[in-house]
């Protein structure tokens, strides 16, 4: 006989699944106590057998022993100590015990199979608790865990349950495939629930990946823009300084030339010797002025070059991934780059030195970086 692998919610056919509440057969506290004591004894014997097992096998065994005791006590209440409150409480205990059995069996699975198993177990528990709260009784057919009100086999004479089984087979194309049937007759297969869960997880992963990529691009773009702005500012300042120095040099040369010509004219009017002496002095002064001008020009060029090189090194540090370069100070003197400041690890310090050495125009790198 084919077995329905999953279960059908007891609400599949609404009230047609429920029979009238079981009438009290009698009120026999003594017999009820005897049955309860027998159930307790059988429970101890069952748990003793479970002690010989281990791992998940033992967990399933213990859960099944508790479920068997709960069902025995529920039957005892229905037969010998019948009351609406007592029946509801007993069925709740049976539903929870069966749920523990299902969870223990699901723990032996993994991945999508485990997720599908847990979804099915929760659906069965929800249906059983709803039956208990509404005072509904199953027709006697039980599910894989023993819960009343659940279809466990395709062989059923109950018209409503037979119709639910037929819907499962029609939707899934196989009577062995379990499904859930809600109170409106809508059918959902376990495979469909698992596929939907997998698709939702995939959609969430793709959305998270796209967001991360967009954020990374935005950060990279911002860093690039800031680097360009800093480089442009430094270049402008360097040009301005060079222009000012050049202008001052020209003015100084003109002043020296004017004074030299005046001195030469005065010396010529006095004596030729004095003129010759003045000419010699003038030539010497001109040479010294020219030397100073050249030295000033070279110093200015070196300073401008060092400033630009410092900017390039900072930009290269900013471009290094996972390097917190804001804590690193950069200075350059005649092509020699000096690094200082604090970083989180030696690896970051080494990465900073490597990035500086790879910068075009750097002659050498000296590091005074300290690890926090």
């Amino acid at each position: 006989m084919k077995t329905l692998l999953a279960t059908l919610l007891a609400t599949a056919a609404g009230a047609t699944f429920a029979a009238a509440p079981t009438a009290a057969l009698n009120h026999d506290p003594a017999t009820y106590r005897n049955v309860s004591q027998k159930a307790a004894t059988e429970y101890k014997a069952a748990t003793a057998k479970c002690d010989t097992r281990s791992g998940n096998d033992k967990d399933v065994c213990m859960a099944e022993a508790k479920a068997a005791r709960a069902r025995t006590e529920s039957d005892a209440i229905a037969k010998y100590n019948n009351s609406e409150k007592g029946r509801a409480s007993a069925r709740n205990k049976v539903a929870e015990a069966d749920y523990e059995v299902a969870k223990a069996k699901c723990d032996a699975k993994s991945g999508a199979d485990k997720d599908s198993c847990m979804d099915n177990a929760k659906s069965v528990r929800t249906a059983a608790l709803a039956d208990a709260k509404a005072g509904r009784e199953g027709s006697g057919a039980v599910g894989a865990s023993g819960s009343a009100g659940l279809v466990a086999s395709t062989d059923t004479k109950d018209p409503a349950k037979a119709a639910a089984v037929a819907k499962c087979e029609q939707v899934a194309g196989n009577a062995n495939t379990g499904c859930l049937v809600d109170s409106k007759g809508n059918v959902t297969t376990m495979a469909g629930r698992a596929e939907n869960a997998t698709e939702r997880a995939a959609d969430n992963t793709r959305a998270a990946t796209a967001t991360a990529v967009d954020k990374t691009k935005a950060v990279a773009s911002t860093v690039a823009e800031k680097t360009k702005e800093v480089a442009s500012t430094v270049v402008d300042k360097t040009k301005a300084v060079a222009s000012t120095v050049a202008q001052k040099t020209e003015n100084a040369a003109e002043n020296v030339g004017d004074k030299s010509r005046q001195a030469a004219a005065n010396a010529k009017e006095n004596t030729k010797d004095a003129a010759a002496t003045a000419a010699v002095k003038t030539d010497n002064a001109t040479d010294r002025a020219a030397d100073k001008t050249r030295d000033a020009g070279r110093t200015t060029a070196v300073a401008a070059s060092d400033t630009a090189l410092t900017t390039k090194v900072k930009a290269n540090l900013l471009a290094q991934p996972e390097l917190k370069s804001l804590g690193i100070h950069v200075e350059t003197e005649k092509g020699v780059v000096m690094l200082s400041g604090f970083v989180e690890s030696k690896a970051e310090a080494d990465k900073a030195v490597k990035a500086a050495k790879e910068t075009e125009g750097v002659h050498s790198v000296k590091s005074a970086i300290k690890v926090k």
Side-chain angles (χ1 to χ4, degrees):
M1 180 59 62
K2 294 180 180 178
T3 300
L4 195 62
L5 299 182
T7 58
L8 300 169
L9 291 179
T11 54
T16 60
F17 269 41
T22 304
L25 301 178
N26 55 51
H27 188 70
D28 189 349
T31 304
Y32 171 69
R33 280 197 303 273
N34 291 336
V35 175
S36 296
Q37 290 173 358
K38 181 181 178 182
T41 301
E42 291 175 348
Y43 172 69
K44 288 182 180 179
T47 55
K49 291 181 179 180
C50 293
D51 287 339
T52 61
R53 305 184 184 186
S54 61
N56 181 257
D57 205 22
K58 183 176 181 179
D59 294 339
V60 173
C61 181
M62 292 294 293
E64 288 178 339
K66 292 178 182 178
R69 180 179 180 180
R71 284 193 292 276
T72 300
E73 291 180 348
S74 178
D75 290 341
I77 287 176
K79 292 179 180 179
Y80 306 113
N81 193 20
N82 197 13
S83 68
E84 183 177 348
K85 183 177 180 180
R87 288 196 310 273
S89 176
R91 285 199 297 273
N92 280 339
K93 290 181 180 178
V94 171
E96 294 296 349
D98 284 341
Y99 179 55
E100 292 301 321
V101 173
K103 284 201 302 182
K105 291 181 178 180
C106 291
D107 285 340
K109 303 177 184 293
S110 62
D113 287 341
K114 183 174 182 179
D115 294 339
S116 178
C117 181
M118 286 302 299
D119 284 345
N120 188 53
K122 291 175 183 177
S123 298
V124 171
R125 175 176 175 268
T126 300
L129 292 176
D131 281 346
K133 184 176 181 181
R136 290 193 294 265
E137 293 283 358
S139 64
V142 295
S145 60
S147 298
L150 303 173
V151 179
S153 171
T154 56
D155 183 17
T156 176
K157 295 180 181 180
D158 186 304
K161 290 185 177 181
V165 171
K167 283 189 176 182
C168 272
E169 186 172 5
Q170 181 181 1
V171 171
N174 189 336
N176 289 333
T177 300
C179 68
L180 301 177
V181 182
D182 63 20
S183 58
K184 296 181 180 180
N186 297 319
V187 180
T188 303
T189 65
M190 291 298 101
R193 290 165 66 92
E195 288 176 2
N196 291 338
T198 302
E199 290 177 359
R200 287 195 298 272
D203 289 340
N204 291 339
T205 301
R206 284 193 292 270
T209 302
T211 301
V213 170
D214 290 341
K215 288 184 178 180
T216 301
K217 288 181 178 179
V219 171
S221 177
T222 301
V223 171
E225 288 297 327
K226 288 184 177 179
T227 302
K228 289 179 180 179
E229 291 177 2
V230 171
S232 177
T233 301
V234 170
V235 170
D236 291 341
K237 288 184 178 180
T238 302
K239 289 180 178 179
V241 170
S243 177
T244 301
V245 171
Q247 188 63 44
K248 288 182 177 180
T249 301
E250 290 178 1
N251 292 339
E254 289 178 358
N255 291 335
V256 170
D258 292 341
K259 290 180 179 180
S260 297
R261 284 191 293 273
Q262 185 64 40
N266 293 336
K268 187 176 181 180
E269 290 178 357
N270 292 327
T271 62
K272 291 181 179 180
D273 293 337
T277 301
V280 171
K281 289 183 178 180
T282 299
D283 289 339
N284 292 337
T286 302
D287 290 340
R288 287 194 299 272
D291 290 340
K292 288 182 179 180
T293 300
R294 284 192 294 272
D295 291 340
R298 281 195 295 269
T299 301
T300 301
V302 171
S305 176
D306 287 344
T307 301
L309 197 54
T310 297
T311 301
K312 289 170 66 176
V313 171
K314 287 183 177 180
N316 201 11
L317 292 177
L318 282 172
Q320 300 303 311
E322 300 180 357
L323 177 60
K324 298 178 181 178
S325 58
L326 295 180
I328 300 175
H329 182 66
V330 181
E331 291 183 358
T332 305
E333 183 175 354
K334 296 180 180 179
V336 178
V337 175
M338 291 163 282
L339 303 178
S340 61
F342 296 88
V343 293
E344 296 292 338
S345 64
K346 185 177 183 302
E348 287 191 27
D350 294 340
K351 183 177 286 187
V353 171
K354 184 174 181 294
K357 287 182 177 179
E358 292 176 349
T359 303
E360 183 179 356
V362 173
H363 299 323
S364 63
V365 177
K366 295 182 180 179
S367 175
I369 298 175
K370 296 182 179 179
V371 178
K372 294 182 180 179

